[in-house]
Amino acid sequence: MTNAEPTAVPGAPFGAPGTKRPLPSRALVLKIVSALILFGAWEIAGRVPVSLAFPTFLESMGALFRMAVDGTLWTAYAETLQPLAVGVAISAVLGIAIGLWVGLSDFFDWLFSPIFIVMQAAPLAALIPLLVLAYGIGLTSKVLVVCIMAMPVIVLNTAGAVRNTPESMKEMGKAFLASDLSIILKIIIPAASPVIFAGLRLGISAGFIGAILAELKITPTGVGDIITYSRSIADYPSMYAAIFSIILLAVLFLNLLEKTEAVLFKGNQRGYVSD
Amino acid sequence: MTLFGYRLPGMSSLIIWGLLWEIVGQAGLTFFIPPLSEVVGTLIEVIQTAAFQKALYETAYAFIAGVFFAIVIGIPTGILMGKNRLLDELLLPWVNVFLSAPLTALVPVLMVLFGFGMKAIIITTTLFAIWIIILNSRAGVKQINRSLVEMAHSFGASPVDAFFKIYFWAALPEILGGVRIGIIRAVKGVIIGQLLISIVGFGALFELYSANFLMGHFWAVLIVLFALAFTISEFLAYLERRVSYYAAKR
Amino acid sequence: MDMSQTKTVVVDTVPESAVSTRNISKNYGEVEALRDLSLEFPRGQLISLLGPSGCGKTTLLKIIAGLLEPTSGEVEVNGKTVTGPGPDRAFVFQDFALLPWASVIRNVSFGLEMRGVAKSEREDIAARYIKEVGLGGFENAYPHELSGGMRQRVGLARALSVDAEVLLMDEPFSAVDEQTRRKFQEDLLGLVQNENKTFIFVTHSIEEAVYVSDQIAILLPRPSRVHEIIRPSGFREKGADNIRRDPEYLDIVDQIWASLRTYVE
């Protein structure tokens, strides 16, 4: 009765999937099996076919290969990644700065937090028609779409992380005569950086949603153009291939970030603040 | 934030921002920002129009249906994944993929498969909400304290008893947390769906307003939407605190 | 002075005090954490603050450290009034308070770094104290690679390396396992003897307090006051191995428990 192991860590069951993996080989095999099952089901459903607008897996991969060889895919990505990169860069710099400010000062917390809390809960995508009216259909609007999607989570995570710096670490700084600036630079920011980084990752994930939304809603460019155009001429394999590629890219990139995080902040992990 | 020893309520700074909005609007700096007072006036007008009520009804319908499917499919899937290792290992990679994937890219597929209507919007909503519900339900089941399970066995609980009296309650805080985040995502999903399939609900309303440059109307609807979304999210957080009061003390 | 302090033994036999607290009160809003508390901490000795939870012993320690401000009263260290943290005091934290992203040597040299000591010099000093606390070879390890006991050794080395006269220890061994704690207690006795420092030691373990202390100040809650000061005399010289079965040691442990038991829920 007494061998209770307090394993529960309430808060974020989020970023720690599959913590106990016995053998990596078994996990790998099962991943491959599960990919085979999914793609196999896709292939079969396409062959039946469940819908005229549902190409097989192999057809879609063929289209992807074709677009990769003739270069359409790469030009499209060069265009799609532009607003994404600019938007994410702006959101990161501005979001972390505001977040630090909000986390360190009661006044700015009171002033700014409600805005970002509302933004985090609200469907900000509804602002897109307004952004288009105000800034036209060019790059500016698309960058802004990425920003409004990515920024709230970056600000809130940064502020929360700064606020949650363990009290005893700050006291330790004071007890060993650190100045306020040293406490911020040498204790608070390093202590907060894993959560800030996680916020950045969530922000980038939201930024991807924004970038694609902008291309589908505002003007079809880049990957959004391939999707929209191939749909209009009923070239479904190309459409599915483009969608497959953007999801693959986003997932690979976010996974890479997660791996980087794990290496960078080894032994310094804390839960995420919020979704 | 305290002022002269008096603690200001959490959201009170929104009054300042409202005032700022009014000033910017009154100054006539930009056509796109009419004064807040004007927007509020329009708001009262707008919510009485048939077009608005239709949009609200359609959105609520898609939202509730989407969330319903996400919960009804998501929770059992998550619980099964938590209990069965093979299923877990087969599904978990995909749940993680879709959790972070830009799901907006899938909306065009849903449009060609299910038509430009309600069905596609409902599925979009479900897709936005379901993954986090699955993941949290799974985590909830996985974290159940072993000694609780052993306690149930040692006091002779039947499997059914154990499930409804132990597992369900032990996993409930995580499940509810997942449902809360899922519902917040569903709000975003239903709006994104309507924007891309812009002949239904608020999507159609926004098209109408921006085609006619009705800024006051536009902001009025945005305020209603944001307020609704915020209320839903706060209400769920409140419910979660009420129901999961024991979560922190396990 | 105050009714509640009638039992305080006036410190007159021992030499000059390193630290003295005068009429310290601390209120958190309505709650009185400490009321009118005065204590003397003689130089070169180890004084324990012992009491049930909620008696304000950690609050008092943090006031001495300058981390908390008393509502009224003052703290003097070497005759100078405390207004904040100073180079004359170093703190050992209950939860270690190590920087998880910094190696052992960087953690140990943190205090010196804040004092503006050049990098090569502070790392020399830090390396010396890392060896002294028995962590030689772990200079470049990170806190998460160490056991709880080893982590607290890092915290101890950090406090020693700034060479402060007064070491403030807030339940330093409460987060380590029983056997490690015993080892720590023995090492602490050696430290008190070899380093010419004053130790103020907060603990909730009666045995630990009696084992390591030259003086034990027993604090009682609601309102917090010094109930009694006990000075074990007979067994300190008999060697670390014999303390735990010394009759005086056992008597004092019993006596303290008798006065504390009514305050434990």
Side-chain angles (χ1 to χ4, degrees), chain A residues 26 34 110-111 120 231, chain B residues 12-13 17 89 94 111 188:
Chain A
R26 177 187 151 99
S34 113
W110 173 80
L111 192 62
Q120 176 73 350
R231 191 182 73 200
Chain B
S12 56
S13 68
W17 292 105
E89 281 170 306
W94 295 108
M111 280 171 10
K188 298 175 180 180

Side-chain angles (χ1 to χ4, degrees), chain B residues 110-139:
Chain B
L110 300 175
M111 280 171 10
V112 298
L113 287 180
F114 302 100
F116 285 66
M118 209 46 134
K119 230 195 267 172
I121 295 177
I122 292 174
I123 296 173
T124 308
T125 313
T126 303
L127 277 182
F128 266 76
I130 196 169
W131 310 108
I132 186 68
I133 297 180
I134 295 179
L135 209 60
N136 266 35
S137 307
R138 168 188 178 274

Side-chain angles (χ1 to χ4, degrees), chain C:
Chain C
M1 219 176 9
D2 185 313
M3 288 300 289
S4 62
Q5 293 196 17
T6 44
K7 280 191 162 179
T8 307
V9 179
V10 179
V11 184
D12 51 4
T13 51
V14 270
E16 179 208 356
S17 294
V19 178
S20 34
T21 67
R22 305 242 164 82
N23 310 94
I24 298 280
S25 297
K26 177 74 185 171
N27 303 332
Y28 292 103
E30 299 283 289
V31 185
E32 255 189 336
L34 294 172
R35 187 202 281 176
D36 205 17
L37 199 147
S38 301
L39 268 174
E40 298 293 324
F41 298 89
R43 193 177 305 284
Q45 296 201 351
L46 190 149
I47 303 94
S48 286
L49 303 174
L50 175 68
S53 50
C55 73
K57 48 195 194 293
T58 293
T59 306
L60 179 63
L61 194 73
K62 287 191 173 167
I63 288 173
I64 296 172
L67 293 171
L68 289 176
E69 257 186 65
T71 311
S72 65
E74 59 177 21
V75 176
E76 276 184 8
V77 176
N78 290 327
K80 281 197 293 272
T81 306
V82 164
T83 53
D88 44 9
R89 284 149 291 149
F91 206 101
V92 179
F93 291 83
Q94 182 178 9
D95 62 354
F96 322 139
L98 301 182
L99 307 175
W101 54 86
S103 59
V104 166
I105 191 145
R106 278 190 53 210
N107 264 298
V108 172
S109 54
F110 182 83
L112 296 164
E113 186 184 343
M114 292 300 115
R115 262 155 239 219
V117 179
K119 190 176 162 75
S120 60
E121 194 189 339
R122 66 175 187 248
E123 295 201 338
D124 282 350
I125 299 174
R128 202 166 70 230
Y129 282 101
I130 291 170
K131 280 206 186 65
E132 194 173 314
V133 299
L135 280 180
F138 287 96
E139 286 84 355
N140 295 313
Y142 284 83
H144 70 272
E145 298 165 328
L146 305 178
S147 69
M150 289 160 90
R151 287 182 210 181
Q152 192 56 297
R153 288 182 187 276
V154 178
L156 191 61
R158 177 176 59 194
L160 289 173
S161 69
V162 294
D163 199 26
E165 288 164 59
V166 181
L167 276 187
L168 306 169
M169 308 176 95
D170 182 16
E171 304 195 21
F173 310 147
S174 68
V176 301
D177 66 82
E178 168 67 20
Q179 289 154 37
T180 312
R181 193 178 319 154
R182 284 200 175 213
K183 186 76 177 70
F184 263 120
Q185 291 163 359
E186 286 178 10
D187 291 354
L188 185 61
L189 287 183
L191 213 57
V192 176
Q193 226 150 47
N194 301 331
E195 304 265 342
N196 187 24
K197 293 185 196 304
T198 307
F199 293 77
I200 304 179
F201 186 91
V202 166
T203 179
H204 58 239
S205 159
I206 299 172
E207 283 84 357
E208 177 168 280
V210 181
Y211 183 80
V212 299
S213 312
D214 297 303
Q215 288 192 31
I216 304 149
I218 296 174
L219 271 62
L220 289 181
R222 289 179 293 268
S224 269
R225 61 202 186 268
V226 180
H227 170 71
E228 192 177 4
I229 291 181
I230 294 172
R231 269 184 255 141
S233 54
F235 55 78
R236 192 61 53 210
E237 290 78 33
K238 294 182 187 168
D241 297 339
N242 300 317
I243 296 179
R244 282 186 221 275
R245 47 194 150 105
D246 189 278
E248 190 193 351
Y249 166 87
L250 296 168
D251 285 348
I252 294 176
V253 169
D254 265 3
Q255 179 200 339
I256 294 176
W257 172 234
S259 51
L260 289 185
R261 70 189 314 160
T262 52
Y263 291 89
V264 178
E265 286 92 25

Side-chain angles (χ1 to χ4, degrees), chain A residues 175-224:
Chain A
F176 286 95
L177 306 178
S179 62
D180 285 350
L181 187 68
S182 295
I183 290 181
I184 293 174
L185 291 179
K186 300 204 160 154
I187 294 177
I188 294 178
I189 291 181
S193 47
V195 181
I196 296 178
F197 204 95
L200 268 183
R201 184 162 50 76
L202 293 173
I204 291 172
S205 169
F208 264 103
I209 292 182
I212 295 162
L213 189 59
E215 290 197 328
L216 292 173
K217 178 71 192 171
I218 301 177
T219 39
T221 48
V223 183

Side-chain angles (χ1 to χ4, degrees), chain B residues 183-201:
Chain B
I183 288 179
I184 294 170
R185 290 183 159 212
V187 172
K188 298 175 180 180
V190 77
I191 295 298
I192 287 175
Q194 291 189 353
L195 278 173
L196 292 177
I197 309 167
S198 50
I199 54 167
V200 205

